[in-house]
Amino acid sequence: MFDLVWLIPLCPLIGSVINGLLGKKIKNETVIGGIAAGAVFCSFLVACGILFQLLSLPGEERVFQKTIFTWIQSGTLKADIGFLIDPLSATMLMIVTGIGFLIHLYSIGYMHGEEGFYRYFCYLNLFTFSMLCLVSGNNLLLMFIGWEGVGLCSYLLIGYYFHKKSAGDAGKKAFVMNRIGDFGFLLGVFTLFWYLGVNHNVWTINFVELAKSADLLVPGAVVTTVCLCFFLGATGKSAQIPLYTWLPDAMEGPTPVSALIHAATMVTAGVYMIARMNFIYIKSPTALLVIACVGAATALFAATIGTAQNDIKRVLAYSTVSQLGYMFLAMGVGAFGAGVFHLMTHAFFKACLFLGSGSVIHAMHHALHHEHSDADPQDMRNMGGLKSKMPITFLTFLFATIAIAGIPGFAGFFSKDEILWQAFANPHHGSANLALWGCGAVAAGLTAFYMFRLVFMTFFGQTRLSEKAFHHLHESPWVITVPLVCLAFLSVVGGWIGVPKILGDVLGGFPNYFEHYLEPVFAYSNAYVAQHAHGAHPSHAVEWGLMGTSVVIACAGIGLAAGLYLIAPSVPEKFVATFPVLHRAVYNKWYIDEIYDFVFVNPCKALGNFLWKGFDVVVVDGIVNGVAAVVRGFSGILRYVQTGFVHNYAFSMVIGVVVIVGVYLFR
């Protein structure tokens, strides 16, 4: 199966081409959706075959490269169209194709009746193709092509409803902010290529060759610069401080797009890239500390904003930013496996949550349409009591919410608790570890609070819809609910492949399958840490204590949400009335967008207007128009020489003769 890895990105590309060129003529939604979903399902089947073959091999043999052809050969630079299969890339291929297929299937029902149905699936397949190139490419340049591809497709899909100014602006915002990060990515590629080539005569951008040359990377300023340049790219693609503001605005796109971006594709690219380059990052404690601090700050900061949002998709959007912060916190403390594990579990429950919100919005839109109401179908203040009308959506949403809250037994508990433990116990950051753990723990409590706030406002209590609208509420069709059930199931059981050792011992020696599976990818980093780490490892008692603390914090967040939105629903209004400034600041996202507009956007617009109206119009156009005016004036005089009348030419000749004779006579 390894030799067929090229089929994984090729199938979605073929689907995109077919729907892009012929979709308008095909017109049949079932055929168009079937082509798109079928293409991704074919990729999923190949990915499954590759995973099973990979699992059959010993750990040290789980690396395979398939070169299709040499793409660029210029001097010392050689880049192939080639694919890398190892436990990390195989995991990402399964996530992208598996969850991507469910989202494609869901989209067939959700996007029914849309005018640009074929265009949507063309973009969605192209998005999947780009992400598959990113995670399976065997060199930095092919990764960058996929990196740019998901950026382009996010622009197209976020701005899918291009007739809406807000959607167009959101697409442009995502595109521009990602270009800032991409600049850092390219600087990292150039610097790494130069450093290894000039100093060690190793001219390569191939991941396997770079890993073999890891010992040549001497800790210092250059390695730190390389790491931080790549991390700048990750902050743009994975929405971390300061380049996170595009992701909440991405909610302007269709809900399945939000699920694909937030769960399985684009925002996970930065986490994957750092995990892939772990052998470089482990050499720079400074870069790791920066990543850990940014991740912890992002997790906490985004969680505070999520507590005050009323749009169901925006709550989930800030939840994604916060959960990505957890993943970067893991990367920053050297727990690369834990970060990838949380990436996977997050893909399960976040895809379920977004698709569940889409099911709610779909039903709300239908109900409000029957009432001819202009109320916002995404505003949770217009909902309430939906669980009786949408039992499947409610149960699947509830399971995913319990998972993200970190309740024991569900997927999110295993991955999130592992990150919090590693933040506290890692050997890299000394006294900063307690602060990193504290930020993560508080963010966990806020996550449990605002996610159950969402559940209680949407599904519990008295409905805030009219009787007529509530009557027209109904469960979504099977094409929407089946993906929800699959993802909810994974949200429940998906974490059991990564049970931490301390729990595994209690369960009779239950192994951490996921950690062992990824060991070959992070073998160099683990060996480097074992050789250079200092300090005693905390005891099991401390680990049990921290685990219990995180569970108590999560339960406290759930209890607070229940108290405020089920038992005493009038209290939040009183709180807002008592602290209006604080609520307004949180509701308006701490005014970060306004600050960015004032500091960056408006000055850039002013500079652009000056260069347009001041320099281009006045100087450039002035010079061009001035030259034209001079020529026009001079030609206006000369035109009298060419009149077309013979007697004028004869008269001119006579004048000329007189002048010549006069000159000779009187000189």
Side-chain angles (χ1 to χ4, degrees), residues 167-250:
D169 290 344
K172 288 184 286 186
K173 185 176 184 179
F175 192 81
V176 170
M177 296 198 80
N178 273 275
R179 297 295 73 72
I180 298 171
D182 296 348
F183 178 70
F185 187 103
L186 281 176
L187 285 179
V189 174
F190 296 152
T191 307
L192 179 61
F193 184 72
W194 163 81
Y195 176 77
L196 285 176
V198 170
N199 293 283
H200 304 289
N201 200 34
V202 178
W203 302 93
T204 184
I205 53 175
N206 181 280
F207 290 125
V208 174
E209 294 173 3
L210 287 171
K212 290 178 179 178
S213 304
D215 286 330
L216 302 178
L217 297 165
V218 180
V222 176
V223 171
T224 298
T225 299
V226 170
C227 292
L228 293 179
C229 284
F230 278 116
F231 179 58
L232 176 60
T235 60
K237 201 65 67 182
S238 296
Q240 296 295 284
I241 292 173
L243 301 178
Y244 73 93
T245 57
W246 69 268
L247 191 57
D249 288 0

Side-chain angles (χ1 to χ4, degrees), residues 99-366:
I99 295 180
F101 166 68
L102 293 175
I103 293 172
H104 277 72
L105 181 64
Y106 176 100
S107 296
I108 296 173
Y110 189 86
M111 298 300 289
H112 171 66
E114 288 286 347
E115 183 180 355
F117 192 85
Y118 78 94
R119 176 168 55 89
Y120 169 84
F121 278 100
C122 171
Y123 295 163
L124 210 62
N125 269 176
L126 188 61
F127 200 168
T128 306
F129 160 76
S130 299
M131 188 65 188
L132 291 171
C133 287
L134 190 156
V135 301
S136 63
N138 70 346
N139 61 79
L140 280 166
L141 196 55
L142 189 55
M143 173 186 273
F144 185 70
I145 295 300
W147 192 273
E148 291 297 289
V150 295
L152 169 64
C153 294
S154 68
Y155 165 76
L156 296 172
L157 286 166
I158 293 169
Y160 174 77
Y161 298 114
F162 57 86
H163 55 278
K164 291 171 54 182
K165 185 178 185 302
S166 57
D169 290 344
K172 288 184 286 186
K173 185 176 184 179
F175 192 81
V176 170
M177 296 198 80
N178 273 275
R179 297 295 73 72
I180 298 171
D182 296 348
F183 178 70
F185 187 103
L186 281 176
L187 285 179
V189 174
F190 296 152
T191 307
L192 179 61
F193 184 72
W194 163 81
Y195 176 77
L196 285 176
V198 170
N199 293 283
H200 304 289
N201 200 34
V202 178
W203 302 93
T204 184
I205 53 175
N206 181 280
F207 290 125
V208 174
E209 294 173 3
L210 287 171
K212 290 178 179 178
S213 304
D215 286 330
L216 302 178
L217 297 165
V218 180
V222 176
V223 171
T224 298
T225 299
V226 170
C227 292
L228 293 179
C229 284
F230 278 116
F231 179 58
L232 176 60
T235 60
K237 201 65 67 182
S238 296
Q240 296 295 284
I241 292 173
L243 301 178
Y244 73 93
T245 57
W246 69 268
L247 191 57
D249 288 0
M251 298 303 97
E252 291 290 342
T255 301
V257 171
S258 302
L260 193 62
I261 290 176
H262 287 242
T265 57
M266 183 170 174
V267 297
T268 63
V271 181
Y272 167 77
M273 182 268 293
I274 293 179
R276 173 58 68 199
M277 314 260 311
N278 66 89
F279 51 86
I280 298 177
Y281 279 92
I282 203 65
K283 294 291 189 73
S284 176
T286 302
L288 289 179
L289 181 60
V290 170
I291 294 170
C293 290
V294 169
T298 303
L300 181 58
F301 184 74
T304 63
I305 299 175
T307 60
Q309 301 305 304
N310 296 313
D311 185 306
I312 188 171
K313 287 176 64 177
R314 284 194 176 271
V315 175
L316 297 178
Y318 282 104
S319 168
T320 299
V321 177
S322 181
Q323 296 304 305
L324 288 167
Y326 272 103
M327 298 175 208
F328 280 100
L329 173 59
M331 296 295 161
V333 299
F336 303 108
V340 175
F341 186 34
H342 194 57
L343 184 158
M344 182 185 72
T345 60
H346 176 263
F348 299 154
F349 54 70
K350 186 50 62 68
C352 185
L353 290 169
F354 263 110
L355 297 185
S357 73
S359 179
V360 169
I361 294 168
H362 184 268
M364 286 287 295
H365 181 79
H366 176 78

Side-chain angles (χ1 to χ4, degrees), residues 6 66-73 78-83 138-139 142:
W6 54 275
K66 174 66 175 179
T67 300
I68 308 302
F69 60 86
T70 298
W71 177 24
I72 297 175
Q73 179 74 63
K78 182 178 183 292
D80 297 324
I81 297 296
F83 301 97
N138 70 346
N139 61 79
L142 189 55

Side-chain angles (χ1 to χ4, degrees), residues 592-603:
I592 298 300
D593 279 306
E594 288 77 7
I595 293 172
Y596 282 5
D597 284 345
F598 179 77
V599 176
F600 301 109
V601 178
N602 292 336

Side-chain angles (χ1 to χ4, degrees), residues 244-565:
Y244 73 93
T245 57
W246 69 268
L247 191 57
D249 288 0
M251 298 303 97
E252 291 290 342
T255 301
V257 171
S258 302
L260 193 62
I261 290 176
H262 287 242
T265 57
M266 183 170 174
V267 297
T268 63
V271 181
Y272 167 77
M273 182 268 293
I274 293 179
R276 173 58 68 199
M277 314 260 311
N278 66 89
F279 51 86
I280 298 177
Y281 279 92
I282 203 65
K283 294 291 189 73
S284 176
T286 302
L288 289 179
L289 181 60
V290 170
I291 294 170
C293 290
V294 169
T298 303
L300 181 58
F301 184 74
T304 63
I305 299 175
T307 60
Q309 301 305 304
N310 296 313
D311 185 306
I312 188 171
K313 287 176 64 177
R314 284 194 176 271
V315 175
L316 297 178
Y318 282 104
S319 168
T320 299
V321 177
S322 181
Q323 296 304 305
L324 288 167
Y326 272 103
M327 298 175 208
F328 280 100
L329 173 59
M331 296 295 161
V333 299
F336 303 108
V340 175
F341 186 34
H342 194 57
L343 184 158
M344 182 185 72
T345 60
H346 176 263
F348 299 154
F349 54 70
K350 186 50 62 68
C352 185
L353 290 169
F354 263 110
L355 297 185
S357 73
S359 179
V360 169
I361 294 168
H362 184 268
M364 286 287 295
H365 181 79
H366 176 78
L368 293 171
H369 175 74
H370 274 278
E371 195 187 22
H372 304 289
S373 173
D374 293 329
D376 186 355
Q378 297 182 194
D379 195 325
M380 297 184 296
R381 293 170 295 184
N382 297 327
M383 302 176 189
L386 269 62
K387 66 175 182 176
S388 62
K389 292 286 188 175
M390 309 182 70
I392 298 176
T393 299
F394 163 66
L395 286 175
T396 55
F397 202 99
L398 179 63
F399 289 152
T401 303
I402 295 173
I404 194 175
I407 299 302
F410 289 74
F413 164 75
F414 297 103
S415 57
K416 186 182 292 186
D417 187 76
E418 180 68 14
I419 291 174
L420 291 175
W421 166 243
Q422 293 291 347
F424 183 87
N426 78 88
H428 301 286
H429 306 313
S431 58
N433 286 352
L434 183 60
L436 295 174
W437 177 86
C439 287
V442 174
L446 292 173
T447 299
F449 169 75
Y450 67 68
M451 285 305 305
F452 272 89
R453 170 182 177 265
L454 185 159
V455 170
F456 295 144
M457 289 182 69
T458 302
F459 295 102
F460 286 81
Q462 294 295 319
T463 182
R464 290 174 286 278
L465 290 167
S466 68
E467 184 177 345
K468 180 180 179 181
F470 189 71
H471 173 73
H472 284 285
L473 276 175
H474 59 79
E475 185 60 271
S476 298
W478 71 268
V479 75
I480 289 178
T481 56
V482 167
L484 290 178
V485 172
C486 294
L487 291 167
F489 175 76
L490 291 172
S491 299
V492 175
V493 306
W496 286 93
I497 63 172
V499 177
K501 186 178 186 303
I502 190 172
L503 276 179
D505 292 341
V506 174
L507 297 173
F510 197 88
N512 189 329
Y513 292 106
F514 196 73
E515 182 180 55
H516 297 324
Y517 168 70
L518 288 178
E519 272 181 0
V521 180
F522 306 123
Y524 181 87
S525 296
N526 293 335
Y528 186 86
V529 172
Q531 183 179 356
H532 295 85
H534 302 285
H537 196 272
S539 66
H540 285 334
V542 174
E543 186 172 358
W544 278 114
L546 292 176
M547 186 183 299
T549 301
S550 66
V551 173
V552 169
I553 290 173
C555 291
I558 297 172
L560 181 61
L564 294 179
Y565 293 94

